[in-house]
């Protein structure tokens, strides 16, 4: 069996067959993963909306809401967590339907446990690589603004020098690494604040407002820092 000690992550396991669920949960936890259990489609969707996961393992035949529908709704919400479907349906048309609705991988039952663990590891590693779009150096300049990440300092367009908090620096770096792309609120809270269960907070909004005060010539008509209603935030250059 694969040793994932250095690659552990959080997994949402959505499977209504209790014996199989418990067996999978036990084996995943033995490999170092943190596992959250869900036994029906609606509960799975609620969990995904409230927590960050590195991977979702999804059965198709579920009470309340089937796994394909859950996967489709997750993608509509712009949540890009990888989804590995487990299903007794092995027809090519079923696999194609699952992948078209947003699944990243499809494994038919019965399956080999070691193969499952390998696919889990590969999907989590791939997801983590995709989260960092662009590696940026210690210094970054946009417009007439200049940031020193390691020193947690910035010089603004009007030559004002400011000290940045650690969280401000981390959020700036995350947004700039993903420039011109929307970064979801969930991803920001996980990466910058380390929240696993997200509180109701305007924390990120307040940070974005501060960035506009620092770096925008007209904070009411921002050029760089944008809020995308209901989705997340974007740095545009």
């Amino acid at each position: 069996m694969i040793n994932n000690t250095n690659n552990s992550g959080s997994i949402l396991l959505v499977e209504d067959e209790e014996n199989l669920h418990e067996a999978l949960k036990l084996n995943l936890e033995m490999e170092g993963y943190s596992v959250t259990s869900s036994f029906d489609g609606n509960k799975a969707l609620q969990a995904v909306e409230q927590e960050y996961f590195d991977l979702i393992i999804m059965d198709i035949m579920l009470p309340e809401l089937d796994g394909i529908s859950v996967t489709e709704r997750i993608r509509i919400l712009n949540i890009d967590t990888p989804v590995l479907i487990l299903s007794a349906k092995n027809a090519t048309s079923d696999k194609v339907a699952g992948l078209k609705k947003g699944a990243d991988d499809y494994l038919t039952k019965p399956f080999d446990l070691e193969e499952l663990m390998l696919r889990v590891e590969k999907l989590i590693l791939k997801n983590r690589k995709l989260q960092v779009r662009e590696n940026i150096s210690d210094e970054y300049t946009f417009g007439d603004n200049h940031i020193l990440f390691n020193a947690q300092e910035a010089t603004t367009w009007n030559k004002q020098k400011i000290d940045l908090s650690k969280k401000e620096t981390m959020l700036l770096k995350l947004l700039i690494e993903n420039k011109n792309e929307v970064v979801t609120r969930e991803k920001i809270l996980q990466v910058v604040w380390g929240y696993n269960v997200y509180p109701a907070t305007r924390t990120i909004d307040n940070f974005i407002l501060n960035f506009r005060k620092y770096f925008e010539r007209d904070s009411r008509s921002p050029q760089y820092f944008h809020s995308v209603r209901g989705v997340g935030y974007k740095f545009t250059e």
Side-chain angles (χ1 to χ4, degrees):
M1 196 164 291
I2 301 156
N3 185 351
N4 286 310
T5 303
N6 296 322
N7 300 315
S8 60
S10 58
I11 295 175
L12 175 63
L13 176 59
V14 191
E15 168 63 62
D16 68 322
E17 204 284 291
E18 289 192 17
N19 290 335
L20 176 58
H21 190 116
E22 290 306 311
L24 288 174
K25 185 173 187 291
L26 177 62
N27 280 277
L28 289 165
E29 288 177 340
M30 288 174 63
E31 294 296 313
Y33 297 110
S34 171
V35 180
T36 298
S37 294
S38 184
F39 295 90
D40 70 66
N42 283 333
K43 291 283 185 2
L45 196 58
Q46 290 172 16
V48 172
E49 290 176 324
Q50 294 172 1
E51 297 185 38
Y52 173 87
F53 298 101
D54 292 295
L55 176 67
I56 302 165
I57 299 176
M58 180 83 67
D59 185 24
I60 288 184
M61 303 301 291
L62 295 167
E64 306 294 337
L65 192 65
D66 68 87
I68 298 294
S69 298
V70 176
T71 301
E72 183 177 24
R73 294 192 189 187
I74 287 170
R75 297 303 181 231
I76 290 171
L77 290 169
N78 200 37
I79 297 171
D80 55 6
T81 303
V83 175
L84 167 59
I85 283 182
L86 300 180
S87 176
K89 296 183 176 181
N90 59 7
T92 300
S93 58
D94 294 316
K95 295 179 183 178
V96 169
L99 295 170
K100 277 187 173 180
K101 295 299 184 181
D104 297 86
D105 202 354
Y106 193 110
L107 188 60
T108 55
K109 302 175 182 176
F111 51 82
D112 179 81
L113 184 59
E114 189 166 359
E115 181 183 359
L116 172 65
M117 293 300 173
L118 179 61
R119 293 189 186 212
V120 166
E121 180 184 36
K122 296 288 186 186
L123 285 169
I124 288 178
L125 287 176
K126 181 180 178 182
N127 184 47
R128 288 179 175 175
K129 288 178 182 177
L130 289 175
Q131 285 186 11
V132 180
R133 305 294 183 184
E134 176 186 347
N135 292 320
I136 57 176
S137 65
D138 177 46
E139 298 186 34
Y140 191 82
T141 299
F142 59 98
D144 293 319
N145 301 292
H146 185 71
I147 301 172
L148 295 172
F149 291 106
N150 286 348
Q152 294 180 203
E153 296 175 353
T155 304
T156 66
W157 59 271
N158 59 357
K159 308 304 180 187
Q160 181 182 359
K161 291 197 174 185
I162 56 173
D163 293 322
L164 299 168
S165 70
K166 183 177 180 181
K167 292 287 192 294
E168 284 179 324
T169 305
M170 292 172 70
L171 179 53
L172 274 172
K173 193 164 189 178
L174 178 64
L175 291 172
I176 291 170
E177 283 175 341
N178 294 272
K179 68 180 178 182
N180 301 321
E181 296 185 19
V182 177
V183 182
T184 64
R185 177 177 177 271
E186 290 78 10
K187 184 176 291 187
I188 290 171
L189 286 171
Q190 173 66 18
V191 173
V192 178
W193 275 267
Y195 293 154
N196 193 44
V197 179
Y198 309 131
T201 177
R202 288 184 56 83
T203 301
I204 305 174
D205 289 330
N206 292 334
F207 273 66
I208 297 297
L209 289 174
N210 285 340
F211 292 164
R212 289 174 180 167
K213 291 176 184 176
Y214 299 156
F215 304 118
E216 304 278 9
R217 290 179 180 270
D218 183 355
S219 61
R220 291 169 299 179
S221 181
Q223 178 182 353
Y224 302 109
F225 295 95
H226 306 276
S227 299
V228 182
R229 187 174 181 83
V231 181
Y233 307 84
K234 180 168 67 171
F235 171 79
T236 303
E237 189 177 12

